[in-house]
Amino acid sequence: MGHSQADKAATRARVLRITSRKIRAEGVTRPGIAELMKEAGLTHGGFYKHFASRDDLIAQAAAVALAEGSAKMERAARGNEQSARAGLVDAYLAKRHRDRPATGCALVTLGAAAGRGDEQVKQAYEKQVRAYLELIEGLDGDSEDARAEAMLTLSALVGAVLMSRAVADEDFSDELLTTVARRLKEPAPATVTAG
């Protein structure tokens, strides 16, 4: 008995969700097809009904992982009524985010892989970088330097989480998060113009 298109789409979405979680937690080289399909409750042979290759699955899962971050960042920004920027910074640089890479921002976990990846992964990564920059730019108002500040902010957010996960000393890891968060929430210095 054949499966309906809706069942096939639901199965495909489940495999993509599982894979997106795995690649955020373990990177793009680690999960094998057999392992992913087993976790999805499917056979290895069923894989090719949904994806052309492992690379196809990884590229699509990376796009899913990256896209999930936009909604989270928007919610975080809205979570602080006094300062959307502070809400976003606090949520992104939280210990909880650091400690849960499988559900965290894929910009952190997929950066190096995207740099070495195929064009599809690079495009998905770039799309998310641009979306985050636009969101952060909107938090900074109409400043002339809003785009540059957004680039610095996003770079600091991603870098701080990446480094906080990579160091062995937990106190140092915490310090990275709290120090960068505090500095990102400080008001931007006034621009002095020559007269």
Side-chain angles (χ1 to χ4, degrees):
M1 189 161 127
H3 291 286
S4 72
Q5 289 297 333
D7 289 343
K8 186 174 180 179
T11 298
R12 179 183 177 81
R14 186 170 72 248
V15 172
L16 285 170
R17 246 188 342 270
I18 289 166
T19 306
S20 74
R21 236 183 11 255
K22 284 279 195 192
I23 64 175
R24 280 182 281 193
E26 301 172 8
V28 296
T29 58
R30 166 67 181 82
I33 293 172
E35 172 189 355
L36 295 168
M37 296 305 279
K38 182 178 180 182
E39 189 170 333
L42 302 167
T43 64
H44 185 276
F47 171 82
Y48 293 100
K49 293 177 184 173
H50 301 282
F51 304 97
S53 65
R54 183 185 181 282
D55 288 345
D56 178 40
L57 168 62
I58 295 299
Q60 290 186 46
V64 167
L66 288 159
E68 286 177 356
S70 290
K72 288 180 182 179
M73 286 188 65
E74 287 176 22
R75 279 193 305 273
R78 288 193 307 263
N80 184 322
E81 292 180 14
Q82 282 73 42
S83 170
R85 181 182 180 80
L88 185 142
V89 168
D90 287 339
Y92 202 94
L93 296 179
K95 292 178 190 177
R96 180 179 182 198
H97 183 211
R98 176 197 61 201
D99 297 342
R100 296 181 175 177
T103 58
C105 179
L107 286 185
V108 176
T109 55
L110 297 179
R116 292 186 301 269
D118 66 17
E119 197 63 25
Q120 192 177 357
V121 174
K122 286 182 179 187
Q123 288 173 355
Y125 195 89
E126 179 181 329
K127 180 179 178 182
Q128 274 322 110
V129 169
R130 289 179 183 275
Y132 289 162
L133 288 174
E134 187 176 312
L135 172 66
I136 296 167
E137 232 179 306
L139 302 177
D140 290 337
D142 293 332
S143 161
E144 283 182 26
D145 296 330
R147 183 157 176 85
E149 286 299 316
M151 288 181 175
L152 285 170
T153 298
L154 183 59
S155 297
L157 292 171
V158 172
V161 173
L162 174 71
M163 290 185 296
S164 74
R165 287 178 180 167
V167 299
D169 184 326
E170 189 172 341
D171 291 335
F172 182 45
S173 176
D174 292 348
E175 181 185 5
L176 283 164
L177 295 177
T178 57
T179 301
V180 173
R182 186 179 65 248
R183 292 299 299 262
L184 287 176
K185 293 185 291 184
E186 289 176 357
T191 304
V192 179
T193 55

